[in-house]
Amino acid sequence: MLISELLAHETLRLILLTGEPVGTITGVVVTDLPKPGRYLNGGELVLTGLMWRHRPADSAVFVDYLVQAGVTALAAGDARLGHVPDDLVDACRDRGLTLLEVPIEVSFGAIIDVVDRRVAGEQRLALGRHRRIFTAVAEGAGLPELFEMARDELGVTGGVVAATGRVIAGEVSDPSRMAAEFLRAVRLPHVTADPCTIFTVDRSHRVAGWALVLDGDVNPEIGYELASCVALERTRAEEGRRVERRLLEQLIGLAGSADLPELSARMRTCGLDVAAPYAIVAATALRTGASAGPDAATLGGLVLEEMLDRSVVAVAAADAGLALVPLHDSAEALSGLLKARLASLAAPGIRLSFGVSAALTGPGAIRGGIEEAGYARRMADARDGGLVTSDEIYTHALLLATVPGDIRRGFASRLLDPLFGYDRKHQADLVRTLSTFLDCAGSWNVCAERLHVHVNTVRYRIKRVEELTGKNLTTMADRVDLYLALRAS
C-alpha cells in the first residue's frame, strides 16, 4: 500500500507533516519502545503514542532506530500530548523519514485494519500473478516469454547470466560485472550498488551456475519465484543434453578400439565431422582441500560447457570432465578463449584445472588426445589450477605431472627441507641461490650478477647446499635431481 493511498482514506484523516507520500507500506507495527529497531524488518508503517518521549532529545534517538531499520513512515498519535512535538518533526525532516499525524479521535486499530486489508489484497493479487507465470513456464513458455510476463505482470525487469558473463536471456547491463559479483557474493540474494538484485537459479555450484539479475532492490519472494521458473527451464534444456552425453560416453568408451569404422560412425552420431579437426579438453573443478574424483570431474565438465557457451557437451571420466571440441580456428585459439574465460571465473574455495590437446583429426586420434589432455590437466592441477596445453607437457614437467602428488612432495621434501631449514634459521638465501645457479647453467659469474652478490658469496652458498643435501653440483645427475626437486616443491 502506498502512503499516498493511506492519506487519501477519508475516515482516517491523517496529516502529512514531513517527507513525500511516495513510499510503499508492507505492514504495520505499533510500538512505544525507545529503541524498537530489533523488532522491525523494513517497509513498515510505525504507529506510536509517544510514550517513549520524556525529553526533546529522545526524538532523534527514536527516529535513528527507525531509519536504520528501513521503515517506510512514522505515524504519531495526538492522544498523549495533544499534538506532534516539533523536535520529532525536526528529527524526521532531518533524516528524510515521512511523518504522519494521527488525530486524537482516530484509533490505531482503524489504521491497522485499513492497511492489513489492502496489503492482504495486494498479496492475493501478487500470488495470482505468480501462479500465472509459473503455470505458463510449466506449460512450455521459454525464458523470453518469462521475462515479458515478469515485466507486464510484476513490473520486474532483468535477465539471466552465466558465471562466465554470457547473457542467457533477458537484458543484463554489464553482465561481466554481474557474473563477478555473483561468484564473489558472501550470500545470495545479493544487492549491488546500482542497485540490482542477484539470485542463484538452482543448487549448482556457482562456477557452473546461472544468476538471475533483476533491476532494483527486488522483494526476495518475487526473485525466488522467478529463479524457480528459470531453474525449471534449465532442467528442461538439460534433458536433451543427457542423450548427447550418453552418446559421447559411448564414443570415449570405444576410443581404444581398433574398429575405426565403428568409431567413425559414433563420431557422426555425436554430430562430429570425421574429417574436421578437433581438440580434446580435460577439466576438473576441485573444492579447496579435495582431490580429483567423480565430483571434480562432473563439475569440471559443467564448467567447460558453460565456458564454451554450451556449444559442446562434456562427460565425467575417471578423474576429469572430457569434451571433444570442433576447431573452427586452431587449438591455440581455443586455448586462448578458455584462458580468457578462466580468468573471469575466479571464485573462493574452488580450483579450476584445464588441459588441452593438440589439434587432432579422425577417430584413431581420440585415445591419444584423451591421454594428452589428461597429462596437461594434471600439470595444471599441480600448478594450483589454470590451463596447460599440449605444447607445455613434452618436457620434464610431463614426468612430474604423471607422478602422484604425495610422491612428488616427498621427493622435494627429502632434498630441499635441509635448505629451507637452514634459510629459516640463518636468514640465508640458499634455495633462491640454488634455483638461480641451475637456471644459469652453473655459471658462477652470471648467477652472481643476477643475485647482485659477489661471486665468492655464490661459491660459499653452493658449497653449503652440497653439504646439506649430499649432492655434487659439478655432476649432471645431481643437478637434475635438485632441479626436479625445485620444480616439484
Side-chain angles (χ1 to χ4, degrees):
M1 183 178 190
L2 299 177
I3 297 174
S4 58
E5 295 172 323
L6 192 63
L7 287 167
H9 202 282
E10 295 180 356
T11 64
L12 298 180
R13 301 189 301 281
L14 302 179
I15 302 168
L16 178 66
L17 297 181
T18 68
E20 299 293 333
V22 294
T24 300
I25 298 169
T26 59
V28 184
V29 172
V30 180
T31 183
D32 272 304
L33 294 172
K35 299 179 180 180
R38 71 177 66 181
Y39 304 104
L40 301 170
N41 297 315
E44 300 96 342
L45 169 66
V46 173
L47 303 178
T48 180
L50 301 176
M51 301 302 293
W52 48 265
R53 183 184 177 277
H54 302 292
R55 55 185 184 276
D58 293 341
S59 293
V61 175
F62 183 78
V63 172
D64 280 339
Y65 277 101
L66 301 187
V67 172
Q68 290 170 10
V71 304
T72 296
L74 170 65
D78 290 345
R80 181 179 179 225
L81 301 177
H83 67 285
V84 177
D86 291 340
D87 47 88
L88 181 58
V89 175
D90 292 340
C92 289
R93 181 184 296 113
D94 293 343
R95 291 157 179 80
L97 180 64
T98 299
L99 174 63
L100 309 178
E101 182 178 359
V102 182
I104 193 169
E105 64 274 14
V106 177
S107 71
F108 284 175
I111 298 173
I112 294 171
D113 184 57
V114 169
V115 174
D116 282 351
R117 280 190 285 109
R118 180 57 185 273
V119 170
E122 291 176 347
Q123 289 175 342
R124 285 194 296 272
L125 288 173
L127 180 59
R129 290 193 293 265
H130 292 172
R131 284 175 176 167
R132 286 195 295 274
I133 292 174
F134 196 86
T135 299
V137 173
E139 291 177 350
L143 294 182
E145 292 84 359
L146 169 65
F147 284 101
E148 287 181 12
M149 295 185 69
R151 180 194 62 213
D152 297 339
E153 298 273 358
L154 305 175
V156 174
T157 58
V160 181
V161 64
T164 58
R166 176 175 65 97
V167 177
I168 296 161
E171 296 182 0
V172 179
S173 59
D174 200 354
S176 296
R177 181 170 63 84
M178 291 297 108
E181 295 220 26
F182 169 62
L183 286 170
R184 294 170 179 77
V186 176
R187 61 179 59 87
L188 295 170
H190 167 70
V191 180
T192 68
D194 303 23
C196 292
T197 309
I198 301 176
F199 299 83
T200 188
V201 165
D202 53 29
R203 295 186 178 182
S204 301
H205 193 285
R206 291 188 200 180
V207 291
W210 289 2
L212 172 65
V213 182
L214 301 178
D215 298 324
D217 188 350
V218 177
N219 184 328
E221 292 184 5
I222 294 176
Y224 292 139
E225 289 281 351
L226 292 177
S228 65
C229 291
V230 176
L232 179 61
E233 179 63 16
R234 188 183 189 189
T235 300
R236 195 153 49 207
E238 282 296 308
E239 291 298 325
R241 299 183 75 82
R242 288 193 181 97
V243 175
E244 294 175 305
R245 290 189 182 110
R246 282 198 296 271
L247 294 174
L248 182 59
E249 285 175 353
Q250 293 169 2
L251 173 61
I252 290 175
L254 292 170
S257 169
D259 189 350
L260 294 184
E262 173 67 13
L263 284 173
S264 298
R266 294 284 184 174
M267 286 186 70
R268 285 190 288 269
T269 304
C270 290
L272 298 168
D273 185 345
V274 177
Y278 62 91
I280 293 177
V281 182
T284 54
L286 289 171
R287 290 174 173 83
T288 302
S291 56
D295 290 343
T298 300
L299 183 55
L302 294 175
V303 173
L304 176 59
E305 290 183 358
E306 291 294 345
M307 289 175 70
L308 293 175
D309 299 334
R310 296 173 73 82
S311 62
V312 301
V313 294
V315 296
D319 63 351
L322 293 175
L324 275 70
V325 183
L327 294 177
H328 304 295
D329 191 347
S330 64
E332 290 75 17
L334 170 64
S335 298
L337 173 65
L338 291 174
K339 281 184 179 179
R341 295 190 171 176
L342 187 59
S344 68
L345 276 178
I350 200 81
R351 182 171 77 246
L352 301 175
S353 303
F354 289 79
V356 182
S357 75
L360 309 168
T361 305
I366 294 176
R367 180 60 178 270
I370 292 173
E371 293 180 356
E372 193 174 84
Y375 287 138
R377 198 278 309 165
R378 284 191 286 276
M379 185 185 298
D381 197 44
R383 296 176 178 177
D384 289 329
L387 184 143
V388 172
T389 67
S390 61
D391 292 339
E392 299 179 67
I393 65 174
Y394 292 109
T395 67
H396 66 278
L398 172 61
L399 298 177
L400 291 177
T402 60
V403 174
D406 54 345
I407 296 177
R408 280 200 314 271
R409 289 187 291 271
F411 172 70
S413 175
R414 183 170 57 84
L415 285 176
L416 300 181
D417 277 0
L419 305 184
F420 284 117
Y422 187 91
D423 282 349
R424 285 192 297 269
K425 182 176 181 180
H426 300 281
Q427 290 76 51
D429 209 6
L430 297 187
V431 175
R432 187 164 75 98
T433 301
L434 172 62
S435 179
T436 305
F437 180 75
L438 294 174
D439 286 343
C440 295
S443 171
W444 304 101
N445 291 326
V446 175
C447 181
E449 290 176 4
R450 288 192 184 178
L451 294 174
H452 305 292
V453 297
H454 194 276
V455 67
N456 288 340
T457 301
V458 175
R459 293 181 183 276
Y460 171 77
R461 290 177 181 175
I462 294 301
K463 181 179 179 182
R464 293 296 298 151
V465 168
E466 291 177 331
E467 292 171 351
L468 291 168
T469 62
K471 297 293 183 180
N472 180 358
L473 284 168
T474 63
T475 67
M476 180 59 70
D478 286 356
R479 285 189 184 185
V480 169
D481 282 349
L482 290 170
Y483 179 83
L484 292 177
L486 287 167
R487 294 301 177 270
S489 64

